[in-house]
Amino acid sequence: MTATTTRPPLAIRGRKAEQSDRTRGALIDVARALFAERGYAATATEEIVHAAGVTRGALYHHFRDKQDLFEAVYRDLQDQLRDLIVAAYRAEADPWERIRAGLFEWLDHSMDPTVQRIALIDAPSVLGWERWRTIDTEYSLGMLRGALGAAIERGLIDDARPVDVLAHLLLGVISEASHIIARAEDVTAARAEVGAQVDHFFDSLRVRE
């Protein structure tokens, strides 16, 4: 006789999936707050599970280890930043101002202590430079390619310029600019100084009539 496996009803499976998603979300939210306040190295997994109200087993069900949890926190933060940058980009009608708005939106968020600690200070060392760079590129490079490509189509940037190279170079400029802001003693002054230089660099790409 062939054994049969009884599967739980769809409603039960659905509730379990929802509960699992809530647990994962709670762990990410709590870890984000603790990583932002104390930094990755000073945050213990015991503190995270206690604050989230879950067991260590629940933590390791969703994440391999603390580093894996940190990557999830970093990606969650990047998701939110991307939405804000896209919103700033779309709020402008002029294609040139759209790019500038997106760049400056990111620089503005580089002043945020949570962004500074998680995305700009801890992420490169916790994830390793290659992994951090891969994720950073995944979130940013496509947006820059598209925005610069649109500017080239409008004749705002010389179409002889390779869009992929320009996107990589501009990403490098913005990345370094945000790190300067994050590590500055006076982030407001650094944002103003760095922003002016980024604006100058960006403006140099524009075709002069």
Side-chain angles (χ1 to χ4, degrees):
M1 180 179 296
T2 303
T4 59
T5 301
T6 302
R7 301 182 66 188
L10 287 174
I12 294 177
R13 296 207 301 273
R15 286 196 296 271
K16 287 184 177 179
E18 289 177 3
Q19 182 179 3
S20 179
D21 288 344
R22 285 196 298 269
T23 299
R24 188 178 191 277
L27 285 165
I28 290 174
D29 289 345
V30 166
R32 173 173 168 166
L34 290 173
F35 289 153
E37 179 185 356
R38 305 179 187 179
Y40 176 84
T43 302
T45 54
E46 290 81 2
E47 295 176 286
I48 296 171
V49 297
H50 177 74
V54 302
T55 64
R56 288 182 62 84
L59 171 65
Y60 293 115
H61 172 75
H62 290 281
F63 306 102
R64 292 188 305 274
D65 49 28
K66 189 171 79 163
Q67 182 179 349
D68 192 38
L69 172 58
F70 179 87
E71 180 171 327
V73 169
Y74 177 55
R75 285 184 173 275
D76 185 64
L77 180 59
Q78 288 281 31
D79 284 334
Q80 294 179 22
L81 291 172
R82 179 175 57 189
D83 289 345
L84 292 168
I85 291 169
V86 169
Y89 175 87
R90 291 177 175 171
E92 298 290 340
D94 182 81
W96 191 259
E97 293 304 321
R98 281 186 158 195
I99 303 176
R100 177 182 275 111
L103 297 176
F104 280 14
E105 184 74 13
W106 169 241
L107 292 183
D108 287 344
H109 287 290
S110 298
M111 300 171 67
D112 184 333
T114 295
V115 175
Q116 291 175 356
R117 169 57 69 178
I118 293 174
L120 300 174
I121 297 174
D122 278 351
S125 59
V126 173
L127 301 175
W129 193 89
E130 288 292 341
R131 182 61 178 164
W132 166 74
R133 181 63 174 168
T134 296
I135 297 172
D136 189 51
T137 300
E138 174 188 328
Y139 277 91
S140 306
L141 194 60
M143 287 193 294
L144 281 174
R145 281 198 191 105
L148 291 171
I152 289 173
E153 289 178 2
R154 294 290 190 93
L156 300 173
I157 297 176
D158 189 344
D159 61 7
R161 290 177 179 263
V163 65
D164 192 61
V165 172
L166 284 180
H168 275 92
L169 288 174
L170 192 53
L171 177 59
V173 168
I174 289 298
S175 179
E176 287 302 311
S178 61
H179 279 84
I180 291 172
I181 294 170
R183 288 171 168 78
E185 292 186 7
D186 186 339
V187 294
T188 302
R191 167 64 183 85
E193 183 176 4
V194 167
Q197 295 308 311
V198 169
D199 198 30
H200 179 72
F201 174 82
F202 176 58
D203 195 54
S204 71
L205 301 178
R206 186 164 189 166
V207 170
R208 301 301 172 191
E209 299 180 356

